[in-house]
Amino acid sequence: AQIRVVDLHERIKFWRKSAELTRTQLASAVGVTVSAVCLWEGGRTSPGAARLPAIAEACGVPLRVFFSDLPRRARKAPARAG
């Protein structure tokens, strides 16, 4: 199954929080700015494919686990109208 880019921001945030890392700690571990991590988690930009192994490693999970199905609690509920 191919991972949609729109899912990537949720994965980064989920695994960072699961690892109990701050955005600053993840940024330092991956070699980017805190602003970059904020943009990734907000879904406004995506890290390059070459950074994904470092992100997964910093979060303490193998890359294949990073891209496996997230637990249901990690997924956002649909926004309610009104």
Side-chain angles (χ1 to χ4, degrees), residues 14 17 43 57 74 78 82:
F14 173 80
K17 287 186 170 193
E57 183 178 335

Side-chain angles (χ1 to χ4, degrees), residues 15-56:
W15 289 115
R16 176 184 63 78
K17 287 186 170 193
S18 292
E20 298 182 357
L21 293 174
T22 65
R23 288 175 174 159
T24 302
Q25 290 169 320
L26 179 59
S28 178
V30 178
V32 298
T33 64
V34 176
S35 296
V37 174
C38 291
L39 290 171
W40 296 343
E41 289 187 356
R44 291 183 288 283
T45 64
S46 296
R51 291 222 190 265
L52 295 176
I55 294 168

Side-chain angles (χ1 to χ4, degrees), residues 2-20:
Q2 186 175 6
I3 301 300
R4 296 176 306 150
V5 173
V6 294
D7 291 335
L8 191 55
H9 71 281
E10 293 175 8
R11 292 175 186 285
I12 294 169
K13 188 173 187 175
F14 173 80
W15 289 115
R16 176 184 63 78
K17 287 186 170 193
S18 292
E20 298 182 357

Side-chain angles (χ1 to χ4, degrees), residues 44-75:
R44 291 183 288 283
T45 64
S46 296
R51 291 222 190 265
L52 295 176
I55 294 168
E57 183 178 335
C59 294
V61 296
L63 194 57
R64 66 176 169 68
V65 173
F66 184 86
F67 282 111
S68 65
D69 286 341
L70 294 179
R72 293 187 73 79
R73 63 182 165 78
R75 297 183 182 157

